[in-house]
Amino acid sequence: MVKDRDAGSGTKMVQPMEQNIPQELVEAARGYESLFVPALFEQWTKHLIDGAGVAGGNAVLDIACGTGVLAREALSRAGPGGQVVGVDPAPGMLAAANEIEPQIDWVLCGAEDLELGDERFDCVISQFGMMFFQDRQRAANEMLRVLKPGGSLAIAVWNSVENNPAYADIIDVLQEQVGTAAADALRLPYSLGNTDEVTAVLVNSGFEGIGVETKVEHARFPSSRHMVEAELRGWLPLFDIFLSDDEINDVLVESDKTLSKYASTTGEAIFPTCAHIFTARKN
Ligand SMILES: C[S@@+](CC[C@H](N)C(=O)[O-])C[C@H]1O[C@@H](n2cnc3c(N)ncnc32)[C@H](O)[C@@H]1O
């Protein structure tokens, strides 16, 4: 993955950083790619690619790229004459991303301090990362800085938890069985449901033509158990919440009852998810 400010210049400077990354981080990212990406995230990429108007030959930046599902879609739309850069502060995510698509430049940095030069991208895209940014205004300023004049932006954030009912159900179970800290950890991804906050940071940065569309897609997990267990074992530890196997089992027994309404005849958990797609341009 690329480490310096010339990233995205056309000369790929891939450093063999992967061997220094703790193996458990890479394994966790591979787990994210194999479970969460097909279940929850890949169905949204078309909205971002269309929203930003990614076209053949474009230079495209994916911010909070994770394991790169959106960046890969951008690469297929931008074609051989295009160039795609993905940035994320999680080295395990980038290592997994680079295993899947080494043609993309993967840059280890946060949205608030892009290690990239001014006015180099036709399109900036970002899906389901903004709720985790420490300083959203600074991130929006950075998005504007790296866009070429006339360039376009598309960002996806989840709608509020009331509009994502399966997650509202899991949060209720966690609140009851584990407590407020665990429930709050699962509320965080849904904290930008009110569109005013993202609109305000884009306006303050100087973006023009700001629009927002609210869309529904369907999540599809192998089972509700896969989904809940991955949250308990993969997400809660990021907030220093570690449950014993017995506690996990208790939550799963309870969530089985609540989530049975989403079970298909094959046992998959299928449910609607709702997100806002913001679009804007730099004049
Ligand atoms: C839910 S994942 C979404 C990943 C990817 N966009 C996708 O659709 O699969 C959220 C990502 O935001 C990243 N992230 C968290 N804080 C960030 C920050 N300050 N700047 C950029 N990315 C950040 C995480 O490392 C993680 O990869």
Side-chain angles (χ1 to χ4, degrees):
M1 75 197 69
V2 179
K3 288 203 298 188
D4 69 37
R5 207 173 166 88
D6 287 336
S9 62
T11 312
K12 187 163 173 161
M13 289 157 294
V14 176
Q15 308 296 329
M17 287 177 62
E18 285 75 25
Q19 67 245 33
N20 300 324
I21 300 168
Q23 200 52 30
E24 61 267 26
L25 294 184
V26 183
E27 283 302 331
R30 289 179 185 140
Y32 172 88
E33 171 68 26
S34 64
L35 179 65
F36 282 102
V37 169
L40 199 55
F41 294 110
E42 78 181 2
Q43 48 275 64
W44 291 94
T45 59
K46 58 183 179 284
H47 299 300
L48 282 288
I49 299 296
D50 290 345
V54 177
N58 278 174
V60 184
L61 173 64
D62 176 11
I63 298 178
C65 63
T67 49
V69 64
L70 179 59
R72 294 193 295 272
E73 192 60 33
L75 184 66
S76 90
R77 185 75 72 91
Q83 196 206 5
V84 179
V85 177
V87 305
D88 200 285
M93 289 291 207
L94 293 189
N98 195 50
E99 286 173 352
I100 303 165
E101 185 45 273
Q103 282 188 61
I104 292 172
D105 285 337
W106 305 107
V107 181
L108 186 67
C109 67
E112 298 86 346
D113 290 291
L114 296 176
E115 301 278 321
L116 299 161
D118 298 350
E119 300 190 351
R120 20 190 352 156
F121 295 98
D122 300 290
C123 302
V124 170
I125 51 182
S126 182
Q127 66 170 32
F128 306 117
M130 199 170 206
M131 26 314 206
F132 309 117
F133 298 171
Q134 302 289 322
D135 186 337
R136 292 184 195 115
Q137 187 60 64
R138 192 162 152 169
N141 296 347
E142 283 287 83
M143 291 172 185
L144 191 79
R145 178 180 69 76
V146 301
L147 270 175
K148 296 176 185 172
S152 57
L153 174 74
I155 298 173
V157 301
W158 294 119
N159 200 345
S160 58
V161 74
E162 295 76 29
N163 293 290
N164 283 284
Y167 279 92
D169 290 339
I170 300 173
I171 288 166
D172 286 347
V173 172
L174 282 183
Q175 181 74 54
E176 182 100 346
Q177 301 268 310
V178 187
T180 301
D184 282 350
L186 223 64
R187 284 188 185 106
L188 179 62
Y190 303 96
S191 56
L192 287 178
N194 180 336
T195 57
D196 292 349
E197 187 175 345
V198 176
T199 302
V201 296
L202 297 180
V203 169
N204 290 338
S205 293
F207 277 101
E208 305 275 346
I210 297 162
V212 56
E213 281 191 61
T214 301
K215 296 192 179 283
V216 173
E217 288 288 345
H218 277 78
R220 193 181 202 103
F221 283 87
S223 73
S224 62
R225 280 220 160 196
H226 278 85
M227 169 188 174
V228 177
E229 193 163 0
E231 300 286 358
L232 301 180
R233 293 191 191 276
W235 185 247
L236 295 189
L238 301 177
F239 298 81
D240 286 330
I241 301 169
F242 299 90
L243 304 184
S244 67
D245 285 346
D246 284 347
E247 288 171 313
I248 287 176
N249 196 49
D250 290 347
V251 174
L252 291 176
V253 167
E254 205 49 44
S255 62
D256 277 351
K257 296 179 206 155
T258 311
L259 300 179
S260 62
K261 56 182 174 274
Y262 305 116
S264 71
T265 49
T266 60
E268 287 177 297
I270 302 174
F271 52 87
T273 58
C274 184
H276 304 304
I277 313 292
F278 291 87
T279 51
R281 64 171 190 279
K282 175 175 177 174
N283 273 354

